[in-house]
Amino acid sequence: MTVDTSSAGDAGVGAGAEQLAIAAAVAAGESVLSRRFGSAITLVAPEDLAGSGPATVVRARVVSSFALPRTLVIKHYRERPESGADPFAQEAVSYQLFTAMAPDERMCPELVAHDGRDRVLVLEDLGRTPTLEDKLYARDSRAAERALLSWARSLGRLHASTADREADFNALLRRLGGPAKSEADGEVGELYQRVPSLIQKRLGIPVPGEVLAQVTAALEQSRAAGFRAFSPVELSPDNNLVTGQGVRFLDFENGCVRSALVDAAHLRLPFASWPDALALPAGMSEAMIAAWRAEVVGVWPAFADDEVLTAHLTSSELLRVWLITGEELGSLNLSRHAAPVSREAAFVTWWRDLAKHAGYVRMTAVSEFAARVAAALAARLGPHADLAFYPAFR
């Protein structure tokens, strides 16, 4: 009799590979810690934290060390990228930048040790605290509101504390051999060029020249020298821990210095780059913007002027909606039978909000065009065009 054991065999291979990766991360962590502190450091009881990126992420307990806390987090990047930016270098430099700051300016875990040869980071363990995603999916609206405002304040403090650190960041990156990475790279230009034909093909709406000119101006604003600061880039609620000292950011493998307004657009389009983005209640975005502005206005006094801030935010919102459209419109399921909670409904919301905000700052052509796009998307989706709220606000 022949027994088919292919499934069990594959599972065993997968489990074995995971265990090898965890063991390699622990060994790399012990090695860099021992060199850093000049004596053997032993790590035990590793817990796989199941990182979503290219690194193996492990929490481990420290055995008998007076210099270290009881537990640490190890991120181990075993594979080197064949080309382009190196996520290990981006993350190591990001944590180096913040660890050099005063603790009250550090919006992330402290970097305890790192090594470019072993491609490993050892980080402060912030503990088993909930993520911002946890708060949004719980059933406590007040706790979710507090967490969102804390996130906006932390983002503002992150920007304010790094507003003059671009040269430091680039110097650290060169030392680790990583090429600089920013949203001014060719990928953004390709997305920018793709949108008019996509909208024409999928919705039958031509893009007016005045709208293209406004998008071009927004792209130039995002590349300008003003308002530049560090950005985690991955602004997703699962990458943020809600601690007693405020929200703390994790996962800097795409970290770079860019216009803070690119991040601030996410206050208008909360977590738009996250596939599971849902709706927030009326007034929440405005409250988040106020919390962010309170932290950055000391560094960028121009944002004390409501008209100046609103104009900059609207241009950044326009660019963000435009680029996300370039990324995803071609694959959206524009059908009346789409799921009630869907990415398609998020696009309706974002284009509708852009129409409203552009009208406030007298970007008339953009407002009218955005309203047409939103209406066309809504007509395709029918009753499923309204984006659901996060569970905390239902």
Side-chain angles (χ1 to χ4, degrees):
M1 180 177 69
T2 302
V3 178
D4 183 359
T5 60
S6 57
S7 297
D10 290 345
V13 169
E18 288 179 6
Q19 291 303 314
L20 287 173
I22 291 171
V26 170
E30 290 177 335
S31 176
V32 68
L33 285 170
S34 297
R35 290 195 301 273
R36 169 76 171 78
F37 292 97
S39 62
I41 303 291
T42 302
L43 302 174
V44 298
E47 175 189 352
D48 184 6
L49 298 182
S52 60
T56 300
V57 187
V58 175
R59 173 187 285 119
R61 183 162 56 84
V62 181
V63 175
S64 304
S65 173
F66 295 104
L68 292 168
R70 292 184 62 185
T71 59
L72 293 167
V73 172
I74 300 100
K75 295 195 72 169
H76 186 213
Y77 291 82
R78 300 180 71 183
E79 304 295 330
R80 291 182 180 272
E82 294 183 2
S83 61
D86 181 355
F88 165 75
Q90 301 291 143
E91 185 150 39
V93 166
S94 301
Y95 279 115
Q96 281 183 285
L97 185 72
F98 282 101
T99 299
M101 297 179 184
D104 62 343
E105 294 181 324
R106 194 182 302 142
M107 298 293 104
C108 64
E110 181 181 359
L111 178 65
V112 177
H114 75 286
D115 185 85
R117 181 187 62 189
D118 290 336
R119 298 176 60 76
V120 63
L121 306 171
V122 180
L123 302 168
E124 172 190 12
D125 182 12
L126 296 180
R128 302 177 188 278
T129 58
T131 65
L132 183 54
E133 179 185 11
D134 294 331
K135 295 292 187 180
L136 291 171
Y137 278 86
R139 295 292 180 177
D140 187 337
S141 61
R142 290 186 180 276
E145 289 175 4
R146 288 194 298 270
L148 286 167
L149 293 175
S150 178
W151 177 78
R153 283 193 296 271
S154 290
L155 184 64
R157 292 180 69 186
L158 179 146
H159 288 152
S161 64
T162 59
D164 59 350
R165 302 295 181 95
E166 183 166 10
D168 296 338
F169 184 88
N170 290 335
L172 290 167
L173 196 57
R174 285 193 297 271
R175 191 177 302 170
L176 273 179
K181 178 183 179 181
S182 75
E183 284 216 339
D185 294 333
E187 182 180 350
V188 170
E190 292 175 10
L191 288 174
Y192 161 78
Q193 297 287 348
R194 186 187 305 167
V195 177
S197 60
L198 268 177
I199 291 178
Q200 176 73 59
K201 179 180 178 181
R202 299 227 59 190
L203 302 177
I205 301 174
V207 180
E210 189 174 350
V211 172
L212 285 174
Q214 293 278 9
V215 177
T216 301
L219 182 60
E220 292 173 353
Q221 172 186 284
S222 76
R223 295 173 170 175
F227 312 121
R228 291 177 67 80
F230 177 81
S231 169
V233 177
E234 297 293 337
L235 292 172
S236 302
D238 55 343
N239 283 339
N240 302 287
L241 292 181
V242 182
T243 75
Q245 291 72 46
V247 167
R248 295 294 180 261
F249 296 89
L250 303 175
D251 293 343
F252 294 151
E253 56 208 35
N254 291 306
C256 66
V257 175
R258 64 181 182 180
S259 172
L261 290 163
V262 176
D263 287 352
H266 288 77
L267 303 170
R268 288 270 183 88
L269 311 164
F271 317 117
S273 300
W274 191 44
D276 298 322
L278 296 177
L280 295 178
M284 194 68 236
S285 285
E286 289 76 8
M288 291 162 65
I289 289 169
W292 175 82
R293 174 160 73 167
E295 299 294 337
V296 303
V297 72
V299 177
W300 298 312
F303 290 159
D305 186 309
D306 288 345
E307 289 189 5
V308 170
L309 177 62
T310 302
H312 276 91
L313 283 175
T314 304
S315 289
S316 192
E317 178 185 5
L318 167 61
L319 181 61
R320 190 54 29 196
V321 172
W322 190 266
L323 294 178
I324 292 174
T325 299
E327 287 176 339
E328 300 185 31
L329 182 60
S331 60
L332 287 182
N333 178 20
L334 302 181
S335 166
R336 286 178 175 265
H337 303 292
V341 178
S342 66
R343 192 66 169 171
E344 290 76 10
F347 271 76
V348 176
T349 296
W350 297 333
W351 279 99
R352 279 177 180 166
D353 286 348
L354 175 60
K356 178 176 64 176
H357 296 144
Y360 292 160
V361 295
R362 296 181 292 280
M363 294 171 64
T364 305
V366 170
S367 180
E368 293 174 351
F369 174 73
R372 289 186 66 195
V373 172
L377 289 167
R380 300 290 185 94
L381 296 178
H384 302 312
D386 292 330
L387 184 64
F389 289 103
Y390 286 101
F393 301 112
R394 293 177 190 170

